[in-house]
């Protein structure tokens, strides 16, 4: 396959991932990570024509390589890296292959229907958010003074296998359910603590100037 065809195929792959799952998805972010692991940022800055803000939390367009003469002159020195990248993309599977996991879970009958694509993007975004913002709730739980050591250890164990087992809907729902219950427990205990806190006693020798209270 010549260089132009490689670039065209890579662009199609990245575009398909973006359009199928959205910019805030594990699938698209994995596709971008594969690119960055094989092609240095310095080279990418010279040959990417759109989607260069791929580190953004909300990319509005997919990462796309320029197929112009200048870009191809640069990338001609990296054919081995591009070949490796295409190999990884093929191993990861097309957008439709990766989407099948969601369709199977939800038992959707019409994978190409716009409503189903929208639902798939919502699920992909939820998965992305849960994985990328996981440290927020994880830190709240394991550092909480309101929970028992057993409760914290349970979440530590779930967290250790979260990324590898996330595609399992039962596993995902179990972690989410446990997490939400513990976060609700923390919030409830903190509110009760705030409600039951006695007003601080005035410091001896120091009084309020009542004339300033309106």
């Amino acid at each position: 396959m010549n260089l132009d065809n490689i670039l065209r195929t890579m662009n199609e792959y990245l575009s398909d991932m973006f359009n199928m799952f959205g910019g805030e998805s594990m699938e698209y972010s994995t596709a971008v990570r594969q690119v960055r692991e094989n092609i240095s940022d310095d080279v990418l800055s010279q040959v990417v024509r759109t989607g260069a803000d791929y580190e953004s939390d909300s990319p509005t367009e997919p990462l796309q390589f320029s197929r112009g003469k200048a870009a191809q002159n640069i990338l001609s020195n990296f054919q081995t890296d591009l070949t490796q990248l295409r190999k990884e993309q093929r191993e990861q599977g097309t957008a439709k292959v990766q989407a099948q996991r969601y369709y199977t879970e939800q038992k959707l009958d019409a994978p190409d229907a716009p409503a189903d694509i929208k639902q798939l993007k919502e699920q992909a975004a939820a998965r992305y958010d849960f994985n990328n913002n996981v440290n927020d709730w994880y830190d709240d739980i394991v550092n909480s003074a309101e929970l028992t050591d057993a409760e914290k250890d349970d979440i530590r164990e779930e967290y250790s296998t979260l990324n590898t087992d996330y595609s399992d809907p039962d596993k995902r729902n179990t972690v989410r359910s446990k997490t939400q219950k513990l976060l609700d427990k923390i919030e409830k205990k903190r509110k009760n603590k705030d409600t039951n806190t006695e007003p601080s006693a005035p410091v001896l020798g120091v009084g309020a100037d009542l004339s300033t209270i309106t």
Side-chain angles (χ1 to χ4, degrees):
M1 184 180 292
N2 64 36
L3 180 55
D4 186 65
N5 284 336
I6 291 177
L7 295 177
R8 176 180 54 78
T9 305
M10 289 195 307
N11 282 347
E12 289 176 354
Y13 181 88
L14 290 161
S15 181
D16 286 348
M17 289 298 169
F18 184 90
N19 293 331
M20 179 73 78
F21 301 102
E24 292 183 316
S25 66
M26 297 303 295
E27 291 77 12
Y28 177 69
S29 61
T30 295
V32 172
R33 175 179 54 77
Q34 289 175 329
V35 171
R36 298 186 66 193
E37 287 178 349
N38 286 281
I39 309 296
S40 71
D41 286 349
D42 181 57
V43 174
L44 286 175
S45 67
Q46 301 176 65
V47 300
V48 170
R49 61 180 173 82
T50 62
D53 57 339
Y54 44 77
E55 294 185 65
S56 168
D57 288 335
S58 304
T60 58
E61 55 188 351
L63 181 67
Q64 295 283 276
F65 285 88
S66 170
R67 292 165 59 194
K69 184 176 180 180
Q72 291 205 33
N73 285 340
I74 294 172
L75 290 170
S76 63
N77 299 309
F78 300 94
Q79 293 247 181
T80 300
D81 302 291
L82 294 174
T83 300
Q84 175 61 27
L85 173 56
R86 277 299 300 139
K87 177 183 177 183
E88 292 177 10
Q89 290 176 341
R90 286 192 297 270
E91 291 174 348
Q92 195 73 20
T94 65
K96 286 188 175 181
V97 167
Q98 294 187 47
Q100 193 58 47
R101 173 177 65 242
Y102 294 90
Y103 293 129
T104 300
E105 288 178 11
Q106 298 299 319
K107 297 181 173 60
L108 302 180
D109 296 324
D112 295 323
D116 291 337
I117 295 296
K118 180 181 178 181
Q119 184 177 1
L120 184 147
K121 283 186 176 181
E122 291 173 350
Q123 293 176 34
R127 179 187 180 197
Y128 178 85
D129 181 67
F130 192 76
N131 277 266
N132 284 274
N133 296 320
V134 69
N135 288 331
D136 294 340
W137 58 258
Y138 180 77
D139 288 345
D140 280 346
I141 289 174
V142 299
N143 295 321
S144 172
E146 290 79 18
L147 300 177
T148 66
D149 288 340
E151 289 172 323
K152 296 177 185 179
D153 288 341
D154 185 32
I155 288 299
R156 287 190 182 97
E157 183 177 351
E158 297 285 9
Y159 181 80
S160 67
T161 61
L162 181 62
N163 284 329
T164 55
D165 293 341
Y166 193 88
S167 58
D168 180 345
D170 292 332
K171 171 69 172 183
R172 187 165 67 244
N173 291 334
T174 295
V175 174
R176 283 183 169 177
S177 178
K178 286 184 178 181
T179 298
Q180 193 57 56
K181 286 180 180 179
L182 292 179
L183 291 175
D184 289 344
K185 182 177 180 179
I186 292 172
E187 182 66 18
K188 183 178 180 180
K189 285 195 172 184
R190 288 177 180 174
K191 284 184 178 180
N192 289 339
K193 183 178 180 181
D194 291 340
T195 301
N196 296 327
T197 300
E198 294 289 336
S200 299
V203 179
L204 292 178
V206 178
D209 182 356
L210 298 182
S211 65
T212 63
I213 303 177
T214 57

